Every structure is written in structure tokens, then in C-alpha cells.
Amino acid sequence: MCVVKRTNTTQVCSLMVIGITCRFLGCPRIGVVRHSAHLFTSSNMAKSKFEYVRNFETDDTCLRNCYIVVRLDGRNFHRFAAQHNFTKPNDNRALGLMSRSAHSVMEELEDITIAYGQSDEFSFVFKRTSNWFKRRASKLMTHISSQFSSSYVFYWKEFFEDQPLLYPPSFDGRVVLYPTNHNLRDYLSWRQADCHINNLYNTAFWTLIQRGGLNTVQAEDRLKGTLAADKNEILFSEFDINYNNESAVHRKGTTLIWEKREETVIKRMKPPGEEEKDVPVTSIKRKVQAYHCDIIGDQFWEEHPDVLENDS
């Protein structure tokens, strides 16, 4: 920092460098070398008079011993799906892209013990003992949202080869805490029940349009007030469709969990005292595995006891 003072006869220049005052540029020596107490060190900067603004931050630390659930939902995805020519009632490319993006999130944040997705939403469950980002809700939600959104764009071409991405998609998020295994299972059951209700309606709705010749208003009137049994009957009696035979990924959604798998690779090795040869090497690796099955009943949880932590 250079400070210039004007006197009657002389200009005095002072350069502050590493706590020392020196004279330069031909200026006369009018002082001695001394340490400066006014330098902006990192400590001083951190304790500046502006630091009080940190007090305006809200403490959003998630309660301990609770599962942290971050749920993402596509924003304006009805319009997004229409403009990108998604197949109705279900587009396997879009569902595959959602799962691939969720897979990317789980690989980035290994404390996510299970994730469940359907349509344009995905829920990510952090284990109760997780301390990622010091359990700050805003940090968890924004990191997952950004990782998921960027992955959706990054992997778009793998699933939509002939359909260009016309504009960036966006996802909003929320954070909810669940203290017990029972609460968490009820949450995931609620999301899977929602998947079934929506998919059954959409399957009946678009079948009436695509195969029944109705327009959207007529299809809505036909299904107004109907129960699940009524929709199943319409599909079976009029279009010979057994809803139970529809793809499980459409009816059940996608569940992602971590699983340990054995992997065997062939490596070229030279054992002591022997000639070089191919040797099979087996290792245990942790990978994300996808399931399209019922998670409302007990069977899934009995087969994967490591997903949930003990309530005690």
C-alpha cells in the first residue's frame, strides 16, 4: 500500500511491505525501518468490523438421531415433458435419466442409505448418524439439488440421443426429519402409494385417448369419481390390459440402496519363483443397486436389514 503525503518542499512515499516501512523512488530518508501494526492479516480480516453480519444467518442444523430426507421435485415438468416429446403415459428414457442422476448423487454422498424415485421426483435418505455438512439442511439440500440437476443435463444425451435439450431443467427441494424406522418406512410407503395412484390414473387416461379415441376433456370426464377398481376394469374389459402386468418400474418406482458385491478381475502377476501368469483377484466393492419392487410390505426390509439403523 503506497501513501503519498505532500509537504511544502518534499513528497514522501511510504510502501507497506510485510510489516516494514521502506523509502523508495528517490524520496529522502526521513524515518527508520519499523514494523507496522496496521497490516491486514488474515486474522484481522476475519475479525473485521463487518463480521457482525454472520449473526443474521439462521441456524438450520438438523436434529440429531433423525433420518434426514431431501426430496427433489421437477419444476414445471409438465411443460418440460411436452416440449421434449416425452412418451405418454411413461417415458422409459426419462425414468432412466432420473435414476442415473440419483445414482450420481448417492455416489457423491455415501451417507445416503436409500433413495426412492418416481415420475419427476426423488427422495434421498441420510442415515441418522450422518454428519455431512455438519447436518445443515441448506447445505444438504443445495448440494443434492445441484448434483442432481447437473447430472440430469450431463447424462441427457445417453438417454435422449435424438432429442436435443432445449433448456435447462430445474428441481426444487425440501428437507424433512423422521426420528424412527416406522416413520421413515411410512414416508417411503406414502411415496410409493402415490406412484401407484398416479400411474394407474395416467395409464387409464392415456389409454382412453390413444386407443379409445377420446380427447383429454372426455377422458377426464370418464375417469372422474372412479376408484382404483373402476380404472382396472376399464383397462381390462375395454382394452384387454391387466394393470398388474405393466412394467414394475412404472407401478413401483425405483429404489436405490448400497450393496456389497464380489468382483473378480484377471490380473497379470508374477508369483515368487514362478513365471508370469493371469491370476483371478476377487474383492468386495460397495455399489448402488436399483430395485423396482414393493417397499410397503416387510419383505424388502427383511431382505435388506442394513438399510435401516437400529432404533435403540
Side-chain angles (χ1 to χ4, degrees), residues 200 203-204 207 231-241:
L200 177 57
T203 300
T207 300
K231 297 180 183 70
N232 274 297
E233 182 61 26
I234 291 173
L235 290 170
F236 186 74
S237 62
E238 298 183 27
F239 303 101
D240 196 28
I241 295 175

Side-chain angles (χ1 to χ4, degrees), residues 68-72 122-126 137 140-142 144-145 173-176 187:
I68 303 172
V69 176
V70 179
R71 186 167 93 234
L72 301 185
F122 239 100
S123 297
F124 299 91
V125 182
F126 285 85
L140 293 169
M141 183 176 65
T142 53
I144 286 181
S145 298
R174 71 200 72 188
V175 176
V176 188
Y187 168 79

Side-chain angles (χ1 to χ4, degrees), residues 9-20:
T9 58
T10 304
Q11 288 186 343
V12 179
C13 293
S14 298
L15 179 65
M16 310 295 289
V17 182
I18 318 178
I20 298 176

Side-chain angles (χ1 to χ4, degrees), residues 7 15 49 107 189 223 252 283:
T7 64
L15 179 65
K49 66 179 181 179
E107 289 179 331
S189 297
L223 296 176
K252 303 294 185 181
S283 60

Side-chain angles (χ1 to χ4, degrees), residues 59-77:
D59 182 11
D60 62 349
T61 304
C62 293
L63 188 66
R64 295 199 174 274
N65 299 323
C66 290
Y67 291 105
I68 303 172
V69 176
V70 179
R71 186 167 93 234
L72 301 185
D73 290 281
R75 184 174 179 274
N76 291 333
F77 251 57

Side-chain angles (χ1 to χ4, degrees), residues 290-307:
Y291 287 90
H292 310 295
C293 62
D294 178 76
I295 59 174
I296 297 176
D298 294 330
Q299 183 177 348
F300 173 83
W301 305 101
E302 291 171 354
E303 293 176 351
H304 305 94
D306 296 336
V307 173

